[in-house]
Amino acid sequence: MRPSESPPPRSMSPHGPGHRGSHCPCKGDPVRWSSAFIPTLRDDPADAEAVSHKLLVRAGLIRQLMAGHYSLTPLGFRALRKVEAIIREEMDKIGAQEFRLPCMHPKEIWEKSGRWSSVGEEMFRLKDRKQADLALGMTHEEIFAYHATEMRSYKQLPQLWYQFQTKFRDEARPKSGLLRVREFTMKDSYSFDLDQAGLDRAFDNHFDAYRRIFKRLGFEAVAVEASSGLMGGNQSIEFMMKSDAGEDWIAHCGQCGYAANVEKAQSQLPAAIDGAGLSTPEEFPTPGVRTIDDLAKMKGGAPAERQIKTLVYQVDEKTILVLLRGDHQLAEQKLVDQVEAQKIHPADAEEIQRLLGARPGSLGAVGRRDLYVIADEALRGRRDMVTGANKDGFHLRGVDVERDIDVKAWLDLREVRSGEGCPACGASFSVHKTIEVGHIFKLGTKYSVAMGAYVQDEKGGSVPMIMGSYGIGLERNLAAIVEANHDEKGICWPVNTAPYEVVVSVVKPNDVACHEAGEALYEKLKAAGIDVILDDRDERPGVKFNDADLVGFPYRVTIGPKGLAEGIVELVRRHDGEKRDLKLAHAAETIVEAVLDERR
RNA sequence: CGGGCCGUAGCGCAGUCUGGUAGCGCGCUUGACUGGGGGUCAAGAGGUCGCGGGUUCAAGUCCCGCCGGCCCGACCA
């Protein structure tokens, strides 16, 4: 049996106003609802949208301090520590060693990796009294790599280090309660290896550990290929949980299991069948046509899939044209990932007018050999297409993409959509909204080189350690559990992460028999190592039941005069409402068994 | 950072257009009855109307400025 993570419970005030009845502190010091701080709310908070946000606030687990910063109440903190304990167990299982690093860092170390300037406004920065520049850590690659410099020999590798630490990220838009915040706890781990095979092993170990973690937390997470973004490195996998409260889209194939972030996902399209087209493009008037849709609807126009969409992008100092099929959407991250640039953004109307001589709506790449033109793969080999003539109110038809356009690079740029063919097996896949609950990266040597984390290999040569980094945001995962485990009445905590596993609801606390039976059952459960809370409040039964449902304890035992008269108490399982009458004498054993059975 | 909405009692809201005693529901306090899904009765407590300035005899209400929050978008290790 797992040792209980609960601290020695103590009543907030032995003489508090809510205190009723007598109890001897030496008998186990019950956690009494009447003296606990559990600020449940009858109404949804007005400013919450996401289900987890509403429920965590309403059930009294969290309170907001300011946008993107939340306090956890004792109940919320208990749940978070259970999440933490599960993650810690799984990290220890793969041989990781726990650290605790500072969350405040000197500028110098971030300058060494180049990120002091590259991360920009998302990093909180401050000065100390000596005017030295400091940062609040948003991640710890630099700091762990810095400590890794103490290793000198390949014999000391591999190393796998981790910590739980507060991260600070000055998000432009914190939202959805705990899902997107500016201050949060992260489990971040870092692997240091001599060679690629070692990194692969550490990465795979994390992959497996993460699978186990999310399973134990109580939801399904899909592993997807992802863009590594600012982290650098060559491979990264995100763990995504399906949820409407999420903000990342992934493509997922139910047939073969292929999954990828839409920033990366590819798909199979049915081959387009084109007519012979014209021997040379022909201009034709399209008065008032400003969009793909306009042209599709216009008499003598062309369906979207026969059009070429021309986008103008500013890549650092250079302006480029990006071509897609008319009915396709650009996945901007794909562009960012495939062109080497610091900054990429759509060109503004003035720049477009200056460069192409027309407004958006009539743009095209035909004959523009002077511009750098990138085209999406879906346009390769297409003939008889329609595109803008770079003259307001005119388009060209009969365009043969490869013949008439000087395409400098063919890239995969389009955003996939539900119903398209899975690139792996061809079955039609779907695109879902998801919450990113974990992310693992193969970093390579970027940070070890920057920090000078080298070891001598067998031949005496100096080589940089190969790093990986692996993160899980705890509060976001807590919210994900709620997103995945709730109903119209409230949260349905899985036993593994419930703030308390059992609530003993005493229906009529002023009745001596009820009171004593409640206390006795509470003591038995406590002694058996169950996390249990005693609802001894002088409230109507309905209030207690609704609160218990709202907070979502996995099991509720109801003790009331009616049942007691027959020597019976009622056990209700929260997630499916299953009810069982238990003989008072054996109730504790049955409940303990039920709870232990669900701990994983 | 752009667009929209909002800030009045612990929570949810009305009152703002059209300036004139700051309200409702829930919650809270005390007492009584009650007690297996938010009960009833009675008596209470609780508000710098986000902040600052201005107009006015008079500002929750009108004007100016600021702060804070939510949503959409941009952004996101």
Side-chain angles (χ1 to χ4, degrees):
Chain A
M1 183 175 64
R2 175 188 67 166
S4 164
E5 284 86 22
S6 38
R10 61 186 81 125
S11 317
M12 284 180 67
S13 158
H15 309 294
H19 176 73
R20 277 180 179 80
S22 63
H23 71 285
C24 170
C26 59
K27 259 179 78 182
D29 213 2
V31 177
R32 297 164 185 283
W33 199 314
S34 65
S35 52
F37 180 66
I38 304 175
T40 58
L41 266 22
R42 202 176 271 238
D43 303 310
D44 275 337
D47 53 11
E49 196 78 20
V51 177
S52 62
H53 186 191
K54 285 180 185 169
L55 288 177
L56 286 166
V57 171
R58 203 145 86 77
L61 278 80
I62 64 171
R63 284 296 183 265
Q64 187 182 60
L65 212 218
M66 55 176 161
H69 299 259
Y70 283 84
S71 302
L72 296 174
T73 64
L75 219 50
F77 190 43
R78 288 184 68 91
L80 190 82
R81 281 194 306 183
K82 293 204 173 179
V83 171
E84 181 182 299
I86 287 171
I87 296 172
R88 178 175 287 119
E89 252 180 57
E90 295 297 338
M91 293 314 294
D92 290 348
K93 219 180 271 178
I94 59 171
Q97 306 167 67
E98 187 167 358
F99 280 62
R100 187 73 138 210
L101 270 36
C103 55
M104 199 183 285
H105 308 161
K107 171 189 183 184
E108 288 67 29
I109 203 160
W110 282 85
E111 275 183 329
K112 275 191 187 168
S113 67
R115 287 160 115 190
W116 179 263
S117 53
S118 69
V119 294
E121 289 184 313
E122 209 175 326
M123 185 151 65
F124 281 104
R125 296 159 208 252
L126 64 156
K127 286 186 193 292
D128 67 12
R129 63 168 74 201
K130 293 180 295 189
Q131 297 305 301
D133 288 302
L134 303 169
L136 295 181
M138 54 203 323
T139 177
H140 281 74
E141 280 77 16
E142 282 82 353
I143 318 301
F144 269 107
Y146 167 79
H147 291 301
T149 60
E150 281 201 49
M151 291 186 284
R152 290 291 141 78
S153 163
Y154 74 94
K155 292 177 187 168
Q156 291 171 280
L157 299 181
Q159 288 287 317
L160 186 48
W161 296 353
Y162 80 105
Q163 67 167 345
F164 291 92
Q165 180 58 282
T166 304
K167 305 294 191 218
F168 296 89
R169 296 178 183 184
D170 193 356
E171 290 285 348
R173 183 148 94 83
K175 55 176 285 201
S176 307
L178 253 28
L179 285 174
R180 190 178 186 75
V181 292
R182 305 205 303 172
E183 175 182 348
F184 63 97
T185 316
M186 178 182 254
K187 183 289 297 175
D188 48 327
S189 40
Y190 303 85
S191 60
F192 301 89
D193 283 279
L194 184 63
D195 52 24
Q196 186 64 35
L199 172 62
D200 292 346
R201 213 172 304 123
F203 190 84
D204 291 346
N205 284 344
H206 272 88
F207 185 90
D208 294 340
Y210 275 35
R211 293 225 86 109
R212 290 193 294 269
I213 287 168
F214 300 125
K215 185 149 201 236
R216 291 179 65 185
L217 290 184
F219 53 81
E220 288 295 318
V222 183
V224 306
E225 294 173 33
S227 162
S228 297
L230 257 181
M231 288 297 260
N234 42 33
Q235 196 194 343
S236 92
I237 288 180
E238 287 172 327
F239 291 85
M240 313 298 274
M241 190 198 83
K242 279 185 197 174
S243 165
D244 285 338
E247 33 188 1
D248 288 303
W249 276 259
I250 67 160
H252 189 201
C253 175
Q255 194 73 33
C256 73
Y258 168 87
N261 194 302
V262 290
E263 292 175 350
K264 261 241 152 105
Q266 306 191 342
S267 69
Q268 293 182 28
L269 293 175
I273 297 151
D274 296 326
L278 307 169
S279 59
T280 179
E282 172 190 286
E283 191 175 291
F284 67 106
T286 51
V289 167
R290 301 300 310 274
T291 65
I292 299 281
D293 202 36
D294 289 344
L295 188 56
K297 284 180 181 145
M298 193 191 92
K299 206 171 144 221
E305 59 269 22
R306 302 216 62 80
Q307 298 185 40
I308 301 169
K309 179 187 282 187
T310 307
L311 304 173
V312 188
Y313 268 80
Q314 203 78 42
V315 178
D316 287 341
E317 302 312 309
K318 213 164 135 191
T319 305
I320 66 166
L321 297 186
V322 177
L323 308 185
L324 291 144
R325 210 169 85 179
D327 57 333
H328 289 165
Q329 210 61 35
L330 172 68
E332 206 166 299
Q333 189 64 43
K334 286 186 176 179
L335 184 63
V336 172
D337 287 346
Q338 293 178 87
V339 304
E340 280 178 29
Q342 289 289 314
K343 271 190 290 182
I344 290 186
H345 60 91
D348 57 39
E350 278 173 41
E351 173 67 7
I352 291 171
Q353 184 79 39
R354 190 184 66 75
L355 208 73
L356 296 174
R359 287 180 299 178
S362 297
L363 305 179
V366 174
R368 297 303 302 253
R369 295 182 169 276
D370 56 321
L371 291 171
Y372 196 82
V373 179
I374 296 175
D376 180 64
E377 289 287 356
L379 288 174
R380 208 192 270 273
R382 297 295 306 277
R383 295 186 306 267
D384 200 20
M385 302 290 282
V386 174
T387 189
N390 287 332
K391 200 160 124 190
D392 287 342
F394 290 90
H395 281 74
L396 299 174
R397 62 176 152 233
V399 175
D400 179 319
V401 177
E402 295 188 55
R403 179 192 68 193
D404 301 323
I405 299 175
D406 183 25
V407 175
K408 302 280 202 306
W410 293 93
L411 301 174
D412 167 52
L413 294 172
R414 48 178 287 274
E415 188 167 294
V416 299
R417 284 185 296 227
S418 274
E420 292 175 353
C422 169
C425 75
S428 96
F429 64 31
S430 52
V431 174
H432 303 278
K433 218 176 188 186
T434 56
I435 297 168
E436 181 189 340
V437 289
H439 203 161
I440 59 181
F441 298 88
K442 288 186 182 176
L443 292 176
T445 56
K446 173 177 172 179
Y447 298 96
S448 43
V449 167
M451 296 300 143
Y454 289 74
V455 289
Q456 282 192 301
D457 63 16
E458 280 178 288
K459 296 174 200 131
S462 185
V463 294
M465 299 172 208
I466 300 179
M467 289 177 63
S469 95
Y470 318 88
I472 295 182
L474 300 215
E475 287 84 354
R476 180 182 283 185
N477 272 267
L478 194 68
I481 295 168
V482 176
E483 290 288 342
N485 299 278
H486 69 269
D487 60 20
E488 62 292 339
K489 292 182 190 164
I491 304 171
C492 306
W493 288 105
V495 164
N496 274 355
T497 50
Y500 291 99
E501 294 161 321
V502 177
V503 55
V504 176
S505 294
V506 180
V507 168
K508 196 174 174 182
N510 294 335
D511 178 273
V512 175
C514 286
H515 171 81
E516 286 179 354
E519 295 271 345
L521 183 58
Y522 169 87
E523 295 296 347
K524 277 191 194 169
L525 295 173
K526 191 79 200 165
I530 303 296
D531 286 334
V532 53
I533 182 169
L534 181 67
D535 191 352
D536 59 336
R537 293 175 298 168
D538 185 13
E539 287 288 354
R540 310 281 316 181
V543 173
K544 298 184 173 204
F545 296 160
N546 281 318
D547 269 348
D549 288 344
L550 174 61
V551 177
F553 303 114
Y555 286 98
R556 187 188 80 219
V557 196
T558 311
I559 298 186
K562 286 182 194 166
L564 234 39
E566 296 164 39
I568 279 170
V569 296
E570 186 190 56
L571 180 65
V572 185
R573 187 159 64 189
R574 177 66 180 90
H575 79 88
D576 61 1
E578 186 204 74
K579 291 183 182 178
R580 276 195 274 174
D581 282 338
L582 306 178
K583 289 227 167 63
L584 181 58
H586 308 296
E589 289 77 28
T590 310
I591 296 162
V592 169
E593 198 180 321
V595 171
L596 294 188
D597 197 47
E598 285 180 44
R599 280 190 193 167
R600 298 190 171 93

